[in-house]
Amino acid sequence: MDWGTELWDQHDIIEKHTQSGLELVEKYVKFVKERTEIEQNYAKQLRNLSKKYNLKRSSKDEPECRFSSYQSFLDILNETNDYAGQRELIAENMMMNICIDLTKYLQEVKQERKTYLMEAKKAQQSLESTYKQLDSSKKRFEREWREAERAALYAEKTDQDINATKADVEKAKQQAHMRAHIAEECKNDYAAQLQKFNKEQNQFYFNDMPLIFNKLQDLDERRVRKLAQGYVLFSDTEKHVMPIIGKCLEGITKAGTNVNERNDSMVVIEQNKSGFERPGDLEFEDYSQGINRASSDSSLGTPKGPMELLSKNRSKNFWLFSKRSKKFTPERIMEIRTTKLPTVTEDFTHLPPEQRRKRLQQRLEEISKELQKEVDQSEALGKMKDVYEKNPQMGDPASLASQINQTSQNIDRLRGELNKYETWLAEAGGRGETLRYKTHTFNNNGAHDVHSPDGAHSDESTPDPSQAIYAEFDDDFEDEELTAPIGKCTAMYNFPGASEGTISMQEGEVLAVVEEDKGDGWTRVRRNNGDEGYIPTSYVSITLNE
């Protein structure tokens, strides 16, 4: 069944229906556009939210970054940001594949529908024009036939009139004959116009209009099919990114399962352990036996009291187990405000032993990096000077003298600071840290003489860094059962392992990690043959088991 057959007389209904269909497409396009705006606003809000709570994302050295709960929260923020990106992708795909595509299609359909309606209008106007011609010839035929009848009646009346002359009778007959002839011509013209109109009317109702209506039906069905595809795309657009959104949500779930409360507690201990010994028992002072005060005071010198452990400020009130410290009374607030913080010193002696060692190691690493930069710059200046000396047209070697001199001074200054902090670290009980920080010598051009495994340059008189390892490693592996490895590592440099307790390794060698670096710069490893020992952490790339 088609419109041309069943709706041959419903031109206005078809025109209205097709217009309504186009309006539905426009309405759907507007709906999708508003949906994309919602998605874009949602994604923008998610990104802003993630950014708002991820202010420390660039500060990877923050103490909190070592907590698994903090890292998991950062992972959740990153996954949320990725999730926002997928919502933006949904909005973009909907705009491209639905809104823009349907809008373009809508313009084409409107133009096609307009063409068909114009064809129908022309056919209608042609039929109306033919009908007007038919009606005009019909009226003329009617008018001329009446005139012929009147002329015939007049001729007959004149012929019967005895008073009429022969000439009058002849004239009346001629007039009647002429009118009859004109009426006959009008009749023939009317018959021809009627035949023409019937033919065009048949063509109009059985061919022209059905063909146009069928074209409009095909157009409308294509419009419906295209709109249906737009409906499906509305769902498929989101379905296509669902796997990635699922991964984002899985990442958030994984971030939650990666939280390790026990590990976070150990991190708190590692970051805040003071290294002080617990205070010993106070001796009983028997005043009844005449013990003099001075000797009793001196007897307290051996076991340290709480104040000696908590602060060097002897005038500070002892508050560790005081009930009063739990309430912020006005006196307590004033005490907190007026309490002087310990003076910060360059060697970090104001810190507890364990924290002091960590800060000294951190400072040594910073100085070592600065020193390495100056060494690299000195080497580059030396090479540039050699090039200038061999090719004077490229530059004047003397122009580099000031830069080489400044770099040399910086290296000497940093080397002095390096030695100073190494000494303080040794006093604080650090072991083997000198391994990471090499001394450097330079020739007149600022170039290096000897290369060490980590890229630094050592003088021939510099002792083997491994000798700095304490002999306490000697007994680490005696009568000890083999522990399960916690990961593996790959050597990035050669290490001789000359001192007791260490183990040698070659670049590229893979070893099992038995014990992590506890902050002193050394990691305990084991070979496949069972040999165990310590190696410098900075010489290997470590991968721990999950």
Side-chain angles (χ1 to χ4, degrees), residues 422 425-426 429-438 462-474 495-502 520 522 534 536:
E422 285 177 342
L425 182 60
R431 67 177 184 182
E433 284 302 317
T434 54
L435 179 64
R436 295 185 184 179
Y437 314 103
K438 309 293 183 177
T462 303
D464 186 350
S466 61
Q467 298 297 336
I469 303 174
Y470 286 168
E472 64 185 40
F473 290 154
D474 295 349
F495 178 64
S499 63
E500 294 294 332
T502 63
D520 56 5
W522 295 89
Y534 283 92

Side-chain angles (χ1 to χ4, degrees), residues 269-286:
I269 294 173
E270 182 181 350
Q271 289 182 349
N272 301 283
K273 183 171 63 175
S274 67
F276 287 124
E277 296 290 338
R278 291 182 176 84
D281 296 337
L282 298 178
E283 295 183 2
F284 176 74
E285 301 181 18
D286 191 351

